Amino acid sequence: MLRRHARAACTALVAAGMALAGLQAGTATAAPDRNPTAKTAAQTLAATAAQPELLSAMQRDLGLTRPQALTRLANEAEAGATAARLRQGLGAAFAGAWVDGAESGTLTVATTRAADAAAIRATGADARLVPHGLTALERAKRALDRAATAEAPVRYVDVRANVLVVEEARAGAGARLVAAAGVPRELVRVVRTAEAPRPLYDIRGGDAYYMGGGGRCSVGFAVTRGTTQGFATAGHCGRAGTTTSGFNQVAQGSFQGSIFPGNDMAWVAANTNWTATPYVKGSGGANVQVTGSVLQPVGASVCRSGSTTGWHCGTIQQHNTSVTYPEGTISGVTRTTVCAEPGDSGGSYISGSQAQGVTSGGSGNCSSGGTTFFQPLNPLLQNYGLTLRITGSDPGPGPGEPQPGGTWAAGKVYAAGATVTYGGATYRCLQGHQAQTGWEPPNVPALWQRA
C-alpha cells in the first residue's frame, strides 16, 4: 500500500531494487545511488505544489477533500516510479500496473510469474498473477489495429482485467475483426458501445484560437523550438500552413507540422506578438503551472483545460489505446474518464503539474459524462523537436562549476528503457519525460536507474 508515505515508498524502492536482482536471468541490477540530494518522486513531479485551481477541479469531479487531492497526487507520483522500476526488473513477465482508491493509495502490479510476487510486495505494491504479459497483449492489439474499421472503433489493453478489449458499434463486428486479424479469441473481450468517438473541432467562435479556414480549437501547451515560440495542439485542427488567430482574433501564427490520422499531433509557431508562457489556463483564467511531462499510471487523476467546457477532471483508464474515427485510425492515445466537447480539441491534459497530452476526441459531453482520448505530449515534443515551457526548473551548475558530461542532455525526450551516460555512469530511463536542468539522472531516481 502506498498510503501517504512518500519517503517510505522511496525506501521500499531501494529494497525492491535488490530483490529484483534475481527475477530475470541475465538482467543486471546495480546497487541504488547514494546521492543525498536525490529527490523523491513526489518532489520531482512537484506534487505538493499543485495550484488551487487544479485542486478545486479534483475536489469537484473526483469527490475529494483538498488534503485528499494533495495526498493522491503524491501517491500517484510515487506509484509511477515504483511501477516503472518493477517493469524494468520483471521484463517480459510484466503485465501492467494501476492505482486504486480515493487517494490512489493502492498500487497493483501484475506479472505472469508467481515467483515475482515477493519482490513486488517488497516495494509496498500488491501483486497479481495473470496469464498474459503486457507485451503479448499489445502485440495482439497492433494486429487488430491493422484490420480495424469504424464498426469496432476502440481497442485497448485493460490491464486490470488482463485482456484486450474491443468496443463494437455493430453486433458481430468485434468477432469479425478478431477473426480477420488472426488474434487468439481468449485474449479478447468484446463489449458493445453506442458511442462513436469523433474529433472535437466542429464548434466555431469564442475560443483560444481560430483556424484560418474556419473552426476553432484549444491551445495545448506552450513550447519553443530554438528561438521560435508556439504551442502544441491536435493534428486534426489544421494542416501545415493553416493560419491561426488567437482568442482575441489577433493574427497569431501558423501550423508548422500536423499528423492526423495515425497520430493526432501538431504544433503552431507564433509570431513575435505572442509569448509562450509555462502555464495552463485554469478556472476563472488563473494560471496553473507546468513543471514537466512525466506520464502518469493507469488510475491516476488527470485534469483537462478546454475553451468550450473549461476545467474538468477524471482518471486515466488505459494508455496506448487505438481509436478509429470516421477520418481514420489513430494509435498510442490515452483513454480517460474526463469529459470534453467540440472546441476542446487540442487542449491541455495535466496531472498535478505534469503535462500529459492534448485532447484528441471522444464521446458524450460534460452534462451526461463521456470518454475522451488524449495524444501523449512526449511523442509530440520528440517528433517536432520542441521544448516544453516549464516553471521552477533548477538553474543548473553556476559559472565555473564542473559539467559532468555524458550523453544525457536537457531538452531531449527520453522513453522508458532508454540509456544515457552522465558523470561517468550509465543510467536507464524509468518513466518517459522531456529532460530538464535539475533532472540530471543522479538527482531523480523516480526517472532514472543506475545500470
Side-chain angles (χ1 to χ4, degrees), residues 18 31 74 94 99 141 177 237 358 364 374-375 432:
M18 299 172 67
F94 178 80
V99 292
K141 187 182 81 66
L177 174 60
C237 290
V358 298
F374 68 77
Q375 162 69 54

Side-chain angles (χ1 to χ4, degrees), residues 9 13 25 67 79 124 127 138-139 141 159 201 209 221 225 267 323 327 352 365 372 380-381 402 404 421 434 442 446:
L13 289 179
E138 290 183 336
R139 185 185 305 116
K141 187 182 81 66
V159 292
Y201 60 77
Y209 77 93
F221 293 92
R225 184 175 179 181
W267 83 284
V323 183
E327 297 86 347
N365 56 52
T372 55
L380 189 159
L381 297 174
T421 57
Q434 184 169 57

Side-chain angles (χ1 to χ4, degrees), residues 139-179:
R139 185 185 305 116
K141 187 182 81 66
R142 289 193 293 271
L144 293 179
D145 290 347
R146 289 191 290 270
T149 69
E151 290 187 341
V154 179
R155 287 85 53 202
Y156 55 84
V157 174
D158 184 343
V159 292
R160 287 185 171 94
N162 192 235
V163 71
L164 177 55
V165 176
V166 174
E167 294 185 1
E168 63 176 11
R170 181 175 298 179
R176 288 192 294 273
L177 174 60
V178 172

